Amino acid sequence: MELKKGIGVSTGVVIGPALLLDNDEIRIGRRAITLAEVAAEQQRLRTALTAASDDLRDLRERTRRNLGKEMAAIFDFHLALLNDPQLQAAFSQGIERDSHSAEFAVRRALREYGKHFTEHPDAYFRERVKDIYDLERRLLQHLMGAGKIRLEPTDQPVVIVAHDLTPSQTASLDKSKVRGIAIEAGGRTSHTAILANSLGIPAVVGLDSLTREVTTGDVLVVNGYSGVVIIDPDAATIEEHQKYEQRQVRYRTQLDSMRHLPARTKDGVDIKLFGNIEFPHEVDTALAKGAMGIGLYRTEFLYLAGGHEPTEEDHYAAYCRVLQCMGQRPVVIRTLDLGADKYSPFQDQVPEANPFLGFRSIRLCLGNLRIFKTQLRAILRASTRGDLRLMFPLISTPLELRQAKMVLKDTMEELDEQNIPYNPHLRVGMMVEVPSTALLPKPYVRDCDFLSIGTNDLIQYTLAVDRGNQRVASLYSAANPAVLRLIKNVIWSARSRRRAISLCGEMGGDPDFTLLLVGLGLRQFSVAPQHIPEIKKVIRSMNARHARQVAQRALGFEHTQQVMGFLREETRKILPDIFSEVPAKPVTATV
Ligand code: PEP
Ligand code: MG
């Protein structure tokens, strides 16, 4: 039995046999063909190209139906590659000029092509190499007669183990056959993580050397909450996890039944629970979990998942869809937060030594007014369709906020000139995710209709810890006393001016912090939809008066571990089953 620690990116616990995806290369001999064989090889190539194209269209359509348009757009890139005339000419030349078999010509041309991406300074392009390999595998399998990629050779549900999964592999997984995913590569925002989440398949990524230690058939426990994978668990561990899983299902079903109940403390304080989404289709889950609104729509995923730069109409259609589903409920649309770890092929990304401190987010938008205004026009147009609110990310100075608002005003004037309607009273807010704004929130509170604390970034900037780097993960904690001070400062400053204040970082979805945040005066949370019921349960079990005492005491500690231990203990007191159902997480696993 061996325990491995990675990053849990899609919640749930599963136990099942591993299916190790064979990432071995398909072996291809370098056979020279004769002149007489050229025509036949060209025909084989054409047949394979058509079959691969049919596959991809089919996959795109199925993905669109099951996961929505944005996810399906991943395959537009594959189709664009496949239809690239230069690439097709290179395949053909390999056969005709170099006397290569169709297989060898395809591999050589795609490897050559992939090299440009591997060496690209932009991380987004380097990532795309996976798509090129995916396309290569698909073409080779058609050429060699293996047909469609099959991930499910057994009729028993499996846990997929691989170094990495390409987007098309992940999207083609059959949920009834795949119980879990455990992979070596990836981070929280990788395509695989996003897709696993949307599919509702428990997943852990960042599991160092897993494929060397697991073989097909090994039993695995995948804990998508804690990010732990256990290889060959003993009978007692299996039983323990089976029971744990059953309890989880019972517990979550019971929590979901609270969907219509208010998030009200025992002493009558109402809390608003909103959902965070990345794609329009997630609105359904948010509503099913009882979200009162969308508190953070991360619109940059329109760029990251699509095969082309989104047009004003693409933006508009996505926003209208969300607003329509949400009815009269508020929807906070965050303007593009590209850059740092979120690259898009449509941005001019000059390599940066410290991209998290660089030309990202609102800075990138203010430096690319065409992109920014395209989005703002769509947001403004959609603002007549529901309770839309606009939020700027990563503001770090009052001037930056003023500039962003000026661009918004310009865009409004352009719409006025064109007689295009929009809501002139649109509420405008910003994220507080940089220590400079959390330390001195006054000018932002004055100039915004609302603020939302982005703890994911605020923690990394306050503690100088990269939020995506496993090697420093133990230093990353929302329970750090300095972080708590900043959060308190922002909440108090906003409340003193009667400004709406929310928190939309992952911290808000962790029940260990609910007492503290309510105690600090937070009355609005925006969390990943699957966390809403649990947070509601904690709220309904607490007294706001007790929460205030907890917050006061927590602010007095000097060490992260003291804060964490105290918060867990207090939460356990009001809600013992949270801790019996979900095993305590190590401090390193908390957000
Ligand atoms: C945050 O930084 O807390 C946040 C919500 O934004 P993102 O996770 O998209 O950076
Ligand atoms: Mg952020």
Side-chain angles (χ1 to χ4, degrees):
M1 183 161 106
E2 197 190 335
L3 188 146
K4 294 193 74 77
K5 180 80 182 79
I7 307 167
V9 293
S10 182
T11 53
V13 175
V14 291
I15 302 159
L19 171 64
L20 180 63
L21 281 190
D22 187 3
N23 282 347
D24 279 357
E25 302 222 324
I26 300 168
R27 276 174 242 293
I28 296 171
R30 186 180 179 149
R31 178 178 67 88
I33 56 166
T34 63
L35 205 58
E37 287 174 299
V38 168
E41 286 302 289
Q42 295 280 26
Q43 182 54 44
R44 287 180 65 232
L45 173 67
R46 279 193 295 275
T47 309
L49 287 170
T50 309
S53 174
D54 289 348
D55 266 8
L56 285 166
R57 278 176 218 285
D58 179 44
L59 202 49
R60 182 174 62 180
E61 180 50 27
R62 274 192 290 137
T63 309
R64 191 192 58 74
R65 274 200 311 270
N66 297 333
L67 298 173
K69 207 170 103 199
E70 289 75 23
M71 294 290 190
I74 290 168
F75 300 106
D76 286 336
F77 180 69
H78 290 214
L79 279 162
L81 267 181
L82 195 67
N83 293 323
D84 181 343
Q86 268 186 334
L87 206 51
Q88 292 200 357
F91 296 156
S92 201
Q93 267 178 20
I95 296 172
E96 203 154 327
R97 191 191 60 198
D98 306 329
S99 307
H100 290 149
S101 65
E103 288 88 344
F104 196 83
V106 160
R107 163 157 294 172
R108 208 170 77 151
L110 279 171
R111 292 285 158 113
E112 202 53 43
Y113 194 71
K115 242 199 260 166
H116 302 303
F117 283 74
T118 319
E119 290 159 6
H120 203 284
D122 185 328
Y124 178 85
F125 285 99
R126 291 200 298 277
E127 272 280 300
R128 298 282 69 76
V129 168
K130 278 190 282 170
D131 296 285
I132 295 171
Y133 287 159
D134 195 29
L135 183 65
E136 178 191 309
R137 199 162 40 235
R138 188 176 299 282
L139 277 171
L140 291 180
Q141 283 181 333
H142 279 296
L143 281 167
M144 298 169 92
K148 289 201 175 206
I149 295 171
R150 297 217 169 274
L151 294 179
E152 57 274 7
T154 74
D155 48 12
Q156 219 196 120
V158 293
V159 171
I160 298 287
V161 174
H163 171 67
D164 200 0
L165 285 178
T166 62
S168 62
Q169 285 174 322
T170 313
S172 65
L173 294 179
D174 178 345
K175 208 182 149 187
S176 67
K177 300 205 171 87
V178 177
R179 311 202 65 195
I181 296 173
I183 58 174
E184 294 175 337
R188 281 184 207 286
T189 54
S190 66
H191 275 139
T192 304
I194 294 162
L195 288 163
N197 229 324
S198 308
L199 288 164
I201 301 174
V204 178
V205 305
L207 291 154
D208 199 26
S209 67
L210 185 72
T211 56
R212 273 191 268 133
E213 290 162 41
V214 172
T215 48
T216 294
D218 285 351
V219 174
L220 298 186
V221 172
V222 175
N223 188 335
Y225 296 97
S226 62
V228 162
V229 167
I230 301 169
I231 307 168
D232 282 334
D234 58 24
T237 309
I238 290 186
E239 199 188 325
E240 184 194 321
H241 278 84
Q242 272 165 342
K243 285 190 180 149
Y244 177 97
E245 193 184 358
Q246 287 159 6
R247 287 202 306 270
Q248 280 286 350
V249 173
R250 270 202 309 273
Y251 179 62
R252 309 247 150 222
T253 314
Q254 180 206 331
L255 286 179
D256 284 354
S257 66
M258 291 191 316
R259 159 176 134 75
H260 297 296
L261 298 177
R264 181 174 297 147
T265 65
K266 283 179 163 176
D267 47 355
V269 175
D270 280 314
I271 308 290
K272 289 183 182 144
L273 287 183
F274 285 19
N276 293 347
I277 60 165
E278 285 76 43
F279 300 99
H281 71 86
E282 288 178 275
V283 166
D284 301 335
T285 316
L287 286 173
K289 296 284 178 187
M292 295 170 73
I294 299 300
L296 170 65
Y297 175 9
R298 292 180 164 103
T299 56
E300 59 277 6
F301 282 87
L302 264 174
Y303 270 73
L304 299 171
H308 63 276
E309 178 173 345
T311 60
E312 184 181 319
E313 290 314 308
D314 292 332
H315 282 285
Y316 179 68
Y319 306 154
C320 286
R321 183 169 165 208
V322 173
L323 287 162
Q324 192 187 359
C325 294
M326 293 305 289
Q328 287 314 303
R329 298 175 185 87
V331 173
V332 177
I333 297 189
R334 177 175 78 179
T335 58
L336 295 168
D337 188 25
L338 289 164
D341 57 340
K342 291 184 263 189
Y343 289 99
S344 132
F346 321 112
Q347 62 196 84
D348 277 341
Q349 194 70 30
V350 178
E352 295 177 296
N354 293 299
F356 272 101
L357 304 180
F359 193 58
R360 65 168 291 209
S361 196
I362 193 70
R363 303 168 186 179
L364 191 142
C365 285
L366 290 173
N368 288 284
L369 288 185
R370 183 188 60 80
I371 289 178
F372 196 24
K373 281 191 167 180
T374 300
Q375 179 177 36
L376 291 178
R377 279 179 66 93
I379 292 176
L380 285 168
R381 282 173 56 205
S383 67
T384 59
R385 308 291 288 266
D387 186 355
L388 185 159
R389 302 166 190 192
L390 181 150
M391 179 162 74
F392 298 120
L394 207 85
I395 296 288
S396 58
T397 69
L399 182 63
E400 210 167 33
L401 174 63
R402 219 169 299 148
Q403 284 172 332
K405 288 178 80 173
M406 267 166 56
V407 179
L408 178 66
K409 196 160 162 277
D410 273 2
T411 315
M412 285 177 165
E413 281 166 9
E414 280 168 26
L415 292 183
D416 285 336
E417 278 163 24
Q418 296 169 323
N419 282 326
I420 298 176
Y422 62 91
N423 173 11
H425 308 296
L426 175 76
R427 290 199 221 176
V428 178
M430 60 168 257
M431 293 191 67
V432 177
E433 45 187 349
V434 181
S436 60
T437 56
L439 266 168
L440 292 173
K442 204 169 153 192
Y444 311 103
V445 168
R446 189 189 56 221
D447 291 346
C448 282
D449 296 315
F450 65 92
L451 301 178
S452 187
I453 309 174
T455 47
N456 301 343
D457 276 316
L458 185 62
I459 297 167
Q460 80 165 343
Y461 292 131
T462 305
L463 304 179
V465 178
D466 180 343
R467 68 194 247 197
N469 184 342
Q470 264 306 102
R471 298 175 72 186
V472 289
S474 62
L475 295 170
Y476 185 97
S477 175
N480 184 291
V483 173
L484 301 191
R485 287 274 145 186
L486 291 179
I487 294 173
K488 177 197 138 185
N489 201 34
V490 180
I491 296 175
W492 284 27
S493 178
R495 287 196 56 155
S496 71
R497 277 222 161 208
R498 296 183 185 283
R499 284 287 184 276
I501 173 76
S502 170
L503 184 145
C504 60
E506 301 303 307
M507 177 190 190
D510 188 331
D512 288 335
F513 291 104
T514 316
L515 263 175
L516 168 86
L517 292 171
V518 171
L520 288 175
L522 190 74
R523 296 293 177 262
Q524 186 176 316
F525 291 61
S526 189
V527 304
Q530 66 266 32
H531 297 313
I532 291 177
E534 195 168 42
I535 300 302
K536 187 185 278 187
K537 171 120 181 167
V538 183
I539 290 167
R540 290 177 60 83
S541 310
M542 71 165 69
N543 268 302
R545 205 158 57 87
H546 172 229
R548 271 196 298 277
Q549 289 159 0
V550 168
Q552 210 159 23
R553 180 94 197 274
L555 287 168
F557 293 115
E558 287 182 355
H559 300 286
T560 304
Q561 289 74 4
Q562 289 171 319
V563 174
M564 212 55 247
F566 172 65
L567 293 180
R568 288 212 177 110
E569 204 181 294
E570 290 299 313
T571 311
R572 187 186 282 115
K573 277 189 208 157
I574 61 160
L575 204 59
D577 56 339
I578 277 229
F579 290 93
S580 64
E581 301 301 330
V582 186
K585 287 170 279 181
V587 170
T588 55
T590 62
V591 289

